[in-house]
Coordinates of all heavy atoms in Angstrom, one line a residue:
S348 N 39.2 94.2 186.1 CA 38.4 93.1 186.5 C 38.4 92.8 188.0 O 37.5 92.1 188.6 CB 38.8 91.8 185.7 OG 40.0 91.2 186.2
S351 N 35.4 93.5 190.1 CA 34.1 92.8 189.8 C 33.6 91.8 190.8 O 34.5 91.1 191.4 CB 34.3 92.1 188.4 OG 34.6 92.9 187.4
Q352 N 32.3 91.7 190.9 CA 31.7 90.6 191.7 C 31.4 89.4 190.8 O 31.4 88.3 191.2 CB 30.5 91.1 192.4 CG 29.7 90.2 193.4 CD 28.5 90.8 193.9 OE1 27.5 90.9 193.3 NE2 28.7 91.3 195.1
R353 N 30.8 89.8 189.6 CA 30.5 88.8 188.6 C 30.9 89.4 187.3 O 30.6 90.6 186.9 CB 29.0 88.6 188.6 CG 28.6 87.4 187.6 CD 27.1 87.2 187.4 NE 26.5 88.3 186.5 CZ 25.8 89.3 186.9 NH1 25.3 89.4 188.2 NH2 25.4 90.2 186.0
I354 N 31.4 88.5 186.4 CA 31.9 89.0 185.0 C 31.1 88.2 184.0 O 31.2 86.9 183.9 CB 33.4 88.8 184.8 CG1 34.3 89.6 185.9 CG2 33.8 89.2 183.3 CD1 35.6 89.4 185.7
D355 N 30.3 88.9 183.2 CA 29.5 88.2 182.1 C 30.4 88.4 180.8 O 30.3 87.4 179.9 CB 28.2 88.9 181.9 CG 27.3 88.7 183.1 OD1 27.5 87.6 183.8 OD2 26.5 89.6 183.4
R356 N 31.0 89.5 180.5 CA 31.8 89.7 179.3 C 32.8 90.7 179.5 O 32.6 91.8 180.2 CB 30.8 90.0 178.2 CG 31.5 90.2 176.8 CD 30.5 90.5 175.8 NE 29.5 89.5 175.8 CZ 28.4 89.5 174.9 NH1 28.1 90.6 174.2 NH2 27.5 88.5 175.0
V357 N 33.9 90.5 179.0 CA 35.0 91.5 178.9 C 35.3 92.0 177.4 O 35.5 91.1 176.6 CB 36.4 91.1 179.6 CG1 37.4 92.2 179.3 CG2 36.3 90.7 180.9
R358 N 35.1 93.3 177.1 CA 35.3 93.7 175.7 C 36.4 94.8 175.8 O 36.4 95.7 176.6 CB 34.1 94.5 175.1 CG 34.3 95.1 173.7 CD 33.1 95.7 173.3 NE 32.0 94.7 173.0 CZ 31.8 94.1 171.8 NH1 32.6 94.4 170.7 NH2 30.9 93.2 171.6
L411 N 41.9 85.3 183.7 CA 40.5 85.2 184.4 C 40.1 83.8 184.8 O 39.0 83.6 185.4 CB 39.4 85.8 183.5 CG 39.5 87.3 183.2 CD1 38.6 87.7 182.1 CD2 39.3 88.1 184.4
V413 N 39.5 81.0 182.7 CA 38.5 80.4 182.0 C 39.0 79.6 180.9 O 40.2 80.0 180.4 CB 37.4 81.3 181.5 CG1 36.7 82.0 182.6 CG2 38.0 82.4 180.6
L415 N 38.6 78.5 177.0 CA 37.7 79.0 175.8 C 37.5 77.8 174.9 O 38.2 76.8 174.7 CB 38.5 80.1 175.0 CG 38.8 81.4 175.8 CD1 39.7 82.3 174.9 CD2 37.6 82.1 176.2
T452 N 36.8 86.9 169.1 CA 35.9 86.5 170.3 C 36.3 85.2 170.9 O 36.3 84.2 170.0 CB 34.5 86.8 170.1 OG1 34.2 88.0 169.6 CG2 33.6 86.4 171.2
G453 N 36.5 85.2 172.1 CA 36.6 83.9 172.9 C 35.3 83.6 173.5 O 34.7 84.3 174.3
T454 N 34.7 82.4 173.2 CA 33.5 81.9 173.8 C 33.6 80.9 174.8 O 34.6 80.2 174.8 CB 32.5 81.5 172.7 OG1 33.1 80.3 172.1 CG2 32.2 82.5 171.6
V455 N 32.7 80.8 175.8 CA 32.7 79.7 176.7 C 31.4 79.0 176.7 O 30.3 79.6 176.9 CB 33.0 80.2 178.2 CG1 32.9 79.0 179.2 CG2 34.4 81.0 178.2
D456 N 31.4 77.8 176.4 CA 30.2 77.0 176.0 C 29.2 77.8 175.1 O 27.9 77.9 175.3 CB 29.3 76.7 177.5 CG 30.2 75.8 178.4 OD1 30.9 75.0 177.8 OD2 30.0 76.0 179.6
G457 N 29.7 78.4 174.1 CA 29.0 79.0 173.0 C 28.7 80.5 173.3 O 28.2 81.3 172.4
E458 N 29.0 80.9 174.5 CA 28.6 82.4 174.9 C 29.8 83.2 174.8 O 30.9 82.9 175.3 CB 28.1 82.5 176.4 CG 26.7 81.9 176.6 CD 25.7 82.7 175.9 OE1 25.7 83.9 175.9 OE2 24.7 81.9 175.4
P459 N 29.7 84.4 174.1 CA 30.9 85.3 174.0 C 31.2 85.9 175.4 O 30.4 86.5 176.0 CB 30.4 86.4 173.1 CG 28.9 86.3 173.2 CD 28.5 84.9 173.5
R460 N 32.5 85.7 175.8 CA 33.0 86.0 177.1 C 34.1 87.1 177.0 O 34.2 88.0 177.9 CB 33.4 84.8 178.0 CG 32.3 83.9 178.2 CD 31.1 84.6 179.1 NE 30.1 83.6 179.4 CZ 28.9 83.9 179.9 NH1 28.5 85.1 180.0 NH2 27.9 82.9 180.1
I461 N 35.0 86.9 176.1 CA 36.0 88.0 176.0 C 36.1 88.4 174.5 O 36.3 87.5 173.5 CB 37.4 87.2 176.4 CG1 37.3 86.7 177.8 CG2 38.6 88.2 176.1 CD1 38.6 86.0 178.2
V462 N 36.0 89.7 174.3 CA 35.8 90.1 172.9 C 37.0 91.2 172.7 O 37.2 92.1 173.4 CB 34.6 90.8 172.7 CG1 34.5 91.5 171.2 CG2 33.4 89.9 172.8
E490 N 35.5 97.4 178.7 CA 34.1 97.4 179.2 C 34.0 95.9 179.8 O 34.3 95.0 179.2 CB 33.1 97.6 178.1 CG 33.2 98.8 177.4 CD 32.5 99.1 176.1 OE1 33.1 98.5 175.1 OE2 31.2 99.5 176.1
V491 N 33.6 96.0 181.1 CA 33.4 94.7 181.8 C 31.8 94.7 182.1 O 31.4 95.5 183.0 CB 34.3 94.6 183.1 CG1 33.9 93.3 183.9 CG2 35.7 94.7 182.7
S492 N 31.1 93.8 181.5 CA 29.8 93.6 181.8 C 29.6 92.6 182.9 O 30.2 91.6 183.0 CB 29.1 93.1 180.5 OG 29.1 93.9 179.5
G493 N 28.7 92.9 183.8 CA 28.5 92.0 185.0 C 27.9 92.8 186.1 O 27.2 93.6 185.9
E494 N 28.5 92.4 187.2 CA 28.1 93.2 188.5 C 29.4 93.6 189.3 O 30.1 92.7 189.8 CB 27.2 92.2 189.4 CG 26.7 93.1 190.6 CD 25.9 94.2 190.4 OE1 25.2 94.2 189.4 OE2 25.9 95.2 191.1
P495 N 29.7 95.0 189.3 CA 28.9 96.0 188.6 C 29.3 96.2 187.2 O 30.3 95.4 186.7 CB 29.4 97.2 189.4 CG 30.8 97.0 189.8 CD 30.8 95.5 190.1
Q496 N 28.6 97.0 186.4 CA 29.0 97.4 185.0 C 30.3 98.4 185.2 O 30.2 99.3 185.8 CB 27.9 98.1 184.3 CG 26.6 97.2 184.2 CD 26.7 96.1 183.1 OE1 27.6 96.3 182.2 NE2 26.0 95.0 183.3
L497 N 31.4 98.0 184.4 CA 32.5 98.9 184.5 C 32.9 99.4 183.1 O 32.8 98.6 182.1 CB 33.6 98.1 185.1 CG 33.5 97.4 186.5 CD1 34.7 96.6 186.8 CD2 33.5 98.6 187.5

Side-chain angles (χ1 to χ4, degrees):
S348 75
S351 298
Q352 184 183 82
R353 186 190 76 250
I354 298 173
D355 296 330
R356 183 176 304 172
V357 176
R358 176 183 291 270
L411 295 171
V413 297
L415 300 176
T452 299
T454 63
V455 178
D456 297 329
E458 290 293 324
R460 297 300 185 193
I461 300 171
V462 182
E490 300 165 279
V491 182
S492 302
E494 183 60 32
Q496 301 282 337
L497 302 171

